[in-house]
Amino acid sequence: MHFFIHGFYGAGNAGDDAILHALIDELKTIDPEAVITVSVRSKSIRAYFGPHHIHTVFGFDLLQIKHAIAKSDVVIIGGGGLLQDYSGFQALNLFQTNQAYRNQQGAIGYYSTPIFLAKTMGKKVALYALGIGPFRTAEGRNAAAWIAGLADAVTVRDRASYELMLEMGVERTELAADPVVRLDASHFRR
């Protein structure tokens, strides 16, 4: 199977990159032949240091993202605190050009774009190990609920996120452990 993973990877945040590491380990355990492409936020900061071969695309290049999704069977968004509006949300940002996409403020637009592309291409979408919120605006909360409702599977990593997703009407949400707790510490020994 081919997987496309989109999250906050390659930005120099060890916690997010640990989530990616755990996710790749899990996918390779399930399917050792899996082909994995990851969107990264930096062209110079490496996101994954594990033993498996992965492909990367720049997370702000919509054409690269579109091609990676077209080759994928499943698009995975996550994990981490991705659906929130504490850095701002404007609905019009969901429909911007490539340059405006790079400059937009707020997480909802950045993480929803691959979902929209995947669903228009008939691909499966999984929201993986998300933290949901906080929401400063009703518009951001409503957009996050609508976007999460497009996913074929949704897991969250904490009870507060689970309860918020149910409150927002995303009923198929499942509560799961943060994937980092499954990491094998031997990968981090030098």
Side-chain angles (χ1 to χ4, degrees):
M1 289 196 60
H2 291 244
F3 296 92
F4 176 70
I5 303 170
H6 186 74
F8 194 77
Y9 305 122
N13 183 313
D16 288 305
D17 292 346
I19 292 169
L20 176 64
H21 193 109
L23 175 53
I24 290 171
D25 280 356
E26 180 139 348
L27 290 173
K28 286 294 196 170
T29 298
I30 294 167
D31 179 3
E33 302 301 316
V35 176
I36 298 171
T37 302
V38 177
S39 71
V40 294
R41 293 183 63 89
S42 171
K43 292 180 179 181
S44 61
I45 299 173
R46 192 168 166 193
Y48 176 71
F49 293 89
H52 306 292
H53 174 73
I54 65 165
H55 305 279
T56 61
V57 297
F58 186 48
F60 292 102
D61 187 321
L62 292 175
L63 195 54
Q64 284 185 4
I65 290 171
K66 178 185 175 200
H67 290 309
I69 290 170
K71 295 176 187 174
S72 298
D73 299 299
V74 178
V75 172
I76 300 171
I77 308 298
L82 307 184
L83 291 182
Q84 41 72 17
D85 69 353
Y86 56 80
S87 58
F89 174 74
Q90 294 181 6
L92 287 177
N93 285 348
L94 297 175
F95 309 99
Q96 296 296 322
T97 64
N98 199 30
Q99 185 59 39
Y101 173 71
R102 290 184 68 161
N103 296 330
Q104 72 178 308
Q105 182 183 32
I108 294 173
Y110 179 76
Y111 298 111
S112 63
T113 299
I115 297 170
F116 300 148
L117 288 170
K119 295 316 287 180
T120 61
M121 291 184 229
K123 306 294 182 171
K124 297 286 186 189
V125 172
L127 303 183
Y128 178 77
L130 294 183
I132 306 300
F135 295 104
R136 295 184 351 195
T137 67
E139 185 180 46
R141 179 184 160 123
N142 292 339
W146 171 63
I147 292 160
L150 297 173
D152 298 287
V154 179
T155 66
V156 294
R157 63 184 184 176
D158 61 84
R159 177 143 312 271
S161 294
Y162 176 74
E163 291 171 1
L164 182 54
M165 288 294 270
L166 294 180
E167 185 182 304
M168 291 171 20
V170 185
E171 306 254 334
R172 70 177 154 279
T173 302
E174 295 192 30
L175 178 60
D178 190 304
V180 174
V181 301
R182 295 186 297 247
L183 272 179
D184 178 356
S186 66
H187 290 306
F188 301 103
R189 292 190 187 116
R190 298 210 183 255

